[in-house]
Amino acid sequence: MSNFFQYLSVSEKEFFALLESNNFACNAAGRAFMAEHVQVLRPRPLKAVSSYMFKEAEKLGGLEPGMEFEYPNAQGGKSVARVCSLYELPPNMKNPFGYIFSGVMTAPFFGFEMFRFYYKKTKQVMPFISSGKEGNKGLFKDLFYRDAEPGILIRKTEYDSYYAIMSVLGDKKWVYQNYTPCDDDDTAGNLVELYDFAKSKGLEEVTFVIVSGNPFYDKRLLAEWMLQLKDEKFKDVKINLVLAHCPLFYTSQWQAVPEARLTEIFLGYIAASIGPLAKDTISFNGKTDSERPERYLMPGVKGANWGLFKNVIVDHSNMGWPNYQEILYGIDHKTAVANIILSDLFARASFSAKDYDRGIWGHITRYQRFLGGAYKTGQDFGDYLEATTDKRYF
């Protein structure tokens, strides 16, 4: 840890004094407090990370197409969450909606791949929906809280940004057909937003095909949502979960958004996705050591080589919580909080809004070229999807 203070405007002693003056708070307000009082003088160098670690993180946090998980639902029966690829969705889905969310700004491209191949196979345009207001503990507030000026796609909220990006890729009428302002600030709130949306549509059963754009997030997402869906508050609408795994997408292009290249943000998504997997778990048969289980214990978590991910979880958990470090590595609470705050500070200083604007437009240009051309306003959207290349982008 000591090596990192050479990049800050305060000494290690002053840093810990500030933390203590704020009761070692690590929530959004606590992080904002430290960001106001500590300046990052220059970015810290990132350690070389092997592609092996990325692939192992995908194995740990991701799920393979064909996997199924049975869990109790709010209707008093059992439901099955299914995992698929972007290109092979399960047949006979009940009222499917393509749900794109999670904060990763390449997620709309993964989602568009799913939509276009679904059309090629079924000749049906699947409806699109998104949610997610702020997320990431305020880390991206300066990025999202911008006016909708020409050329700015990432603005207002996470879900507004997704809708804006998708409206460049496809038919704007299709994109905004199910647009609903949402209020949630966290993952749990997203599931409530989905339930409220389905209920407002008068649906008794719905299938959400989830595309997160995050190859490390599958297990955490399903582990938490499957457990929540047994709650009685979800009893009026049966929600079926289909998770489309988004494979590891990594590029060396500096024009890419920070989630698609080696950055503080990219490493932070790994830490936030796999870090919680061993915390407050309950087995599918109901066994738990936690007083308040938050997620199912997913396969591969107990026997994982957590030592392989120590550097990422300890030094780059800019969207995580200190107890991951305490549980996995025995790090004391105050040191763990300091690690989180340091990660947060370096992450905030590692990007600008222009980085994202430049990166996302670069992705759009490259992707539309791959598809064979951009969608033209007024063109039949189904015809456009059918005419795109049969090659897979991911």
Side-chain angles (χ1 to χ4, degrees):
M1 179 189 296
S2 299
N3 292 334
F4 297 144
F5 291 96
Q6 62 182 300
Y7 306 108
L8 302 181
S9 62
V10 298
S11 67
E12 183 172 354
K13 184 177 180 180
E14 292 169 325
F15 184 82
F16 273 90
L18 281 168
L19 284 177
E20 188 169 7
S21 73
N22 202 39
N23 298 313
F24 282 85
C26 198
N27 57 9
R31 294 163 187 245
F33 170 84
M34 293 300 290
E36 290 170 6
H37 289 81
V38 180
Q39 289 183 325
V40 176
L41 302 178
R42 60 188 185 279
R44 60 178 173 179
L46 295 178
K47 293 181 181 179
V49 182
S50 69
S51 59
Y52 173 77
M53 192 282 288
F54 293 147
K55 291 175 182 176
E56 289 301 301
E58 182 183 11
K59 287 181 185 177
L60 176 58
L63 290 166
E64 295 181 4
M67 288 183 167
E68 296 184 350
F69 300 92
E70 185 179 81
Y71 60 96
N73 59 33
Q75 290 72 40
K78 297 282 188 179
S79 288
V80 177
R82 293 178 170 83
V83 183
C84 62
S85 79
L86 297 167
Y87 302 99
E88 297 289 345
L89 272 57
N92 305 318
M93 294 183 292
K94 186 75 172 180
N95 296 322
F97 286 81
Y99 176 57
I100 320 299
F101 97 114
S102 81
V104 175
M105 283 302 141
T106 51
F109 301 93
F110 286 95
F112 203 83
E113 282 289 275
M114 184 268 291
F115 286 122
R116 72 188 189 91
F117 273 84
Y118 181 78
Y119 185 86
K120 285 175 181 287
K121 293 179 186 301
T122 68
K123 301 302 179 282
Q124 295 177 344
V125 177
M126 184 187 296
F128 161 67
I129 186 173
S130 183
S131 68
K133 190 175 181 182
E134 179 179 299
N136 300 336
K137 312 302 179 200
L139 184 65
F140 297 107
K141 186 169 289 187
D142 291 340
L143 175 64
F144 286 124
Y145 288 19
R146 299 186 292 162
D147 295 329
E149 298 175 2
I152 293 180
L153 294 175
I154 304 178
R155 79 281 178 120
K156 294 184 180 178
T157 64
E158 174 188 309
Y159 72 96
D160 279 305
S161 302
Y162 278 15
Y163 278 103
I165 294 168
M166 291 294 284
S167 69
V168 175
L169 296 176
D171 180 15
K172 192 171 183 178
K173 183 178 180 182
W174 162 72
V175 171
Y176 283 98
Q177 183 176 0
N178 294 295
Y179 178 88
T180 305
C182 69
D183 299 317
D184 62 285
D185 289 324
D186 54 33
T187 305
N190 281 301
L191 188 55
V192 174
E193 295 282 356
L194 289 178
Y195 174 80
D196 290 342
F197 168 78
K199 198 168 181 178
S200 72
K201 293 289 186 181
L203 300 173
E204 295 182 358
E205 185 173 359
V206 65
T207 302
F208 289 110
V209 184
I210 306 165
V211 180
S212 72
N214 184 342
F216 319 107
Y217 190 36
D218 299 351
K219 283 182 185 174
R220 178 184 171 185
L221 178 59
L222 283 189
E224 295 173 2
W225 282 15
M226 289 188 297
L227 187 59
Q228 291 175 45
L229 282 174
K230 73 175 184 179
D231 195 300
E232 189 177 352
K233 66 186 177 186
F234 296 111
K235 67 179 181 179
D236 291 339
V237 181
K238 183 181 179 183
I239 295 178
N240 301 307
L241 300 177
V242 172
L243 190 147
H245 176 69
C246 299
L248 183 62
F249 176 64
Y250 180 78
T251 176
S252 60
Q253 292 174 325
W254 70 270
Q255 300 99 329
V257 293
E259 293 95 343
R261 52 191 168 91
L262 180 59
T263 61
E264 297 276 359
I265 305 303
F266 182 82
L267 295 174
Y269 271 108
I270 298 177
S273 300
I274 66 176
L277 289 176
K279 174 183 174 291
D280 290 321
T281 62
I282 184 171
S283 67
F284 284 93
N285 61 7
K287 294 181 180 179
T288 181
D289 294 325
S290 173
E291 294 181 2
R292 297 181 61 185
E294 297 178 4
R295 57 189 60 81
Y296 283 113
L297 178 63
M298 300 297 279
V301 171
K302 266 194 171 180
N305 178 13
W306 287 102
L308 179 63
F309 311 110
K310 185 173 181 179
N311 172 58
V312 171
I313 292 174
V314 172
D315 289 338
H316 298 284
S317 288
N318 48 64
M319 309 170 202
W321 289 95
N323 46 20
Y324 308 158
Q325 300 174 45
E326 298 167 35
I327 293 169
L328 294 171
Y329 308 113
I331 295 174
D332 69 273
H333 179 70
K334 290 183 178 180
T335 301
V337 169
N339 288 333
I340 294 290
I341 297 296
L342 284 170
S343 299
D344 179 89
L345 290 170
F346 286 117
R348 289 171 188 255
S350 71
F351 68 89
S352 69
K354 287 185 178 180
D355 290 334
Y356 271 89
D357 289 334
R358 184 189 302 115
I360 206 66
W361 278 111
H363 281 300
I364 288 173
T365 300
R366 289 189 291 273
Y367 185 56
Q368 288 177 331
R369 189 182 303 127
F370 169 82
L371 294 179
Y375 171 79
K376 295 180 174 59
T377 303
Q379 183 179 5
D380 182 88
F381 188 47
D383 289 346
Y384 171 74
L385 294 175
E386 182 68 32
T388 59
T389 180
D390 290 333
K391 295 180 180 178
R392 299 179 177 187
Y393 190 68
F394 296 106

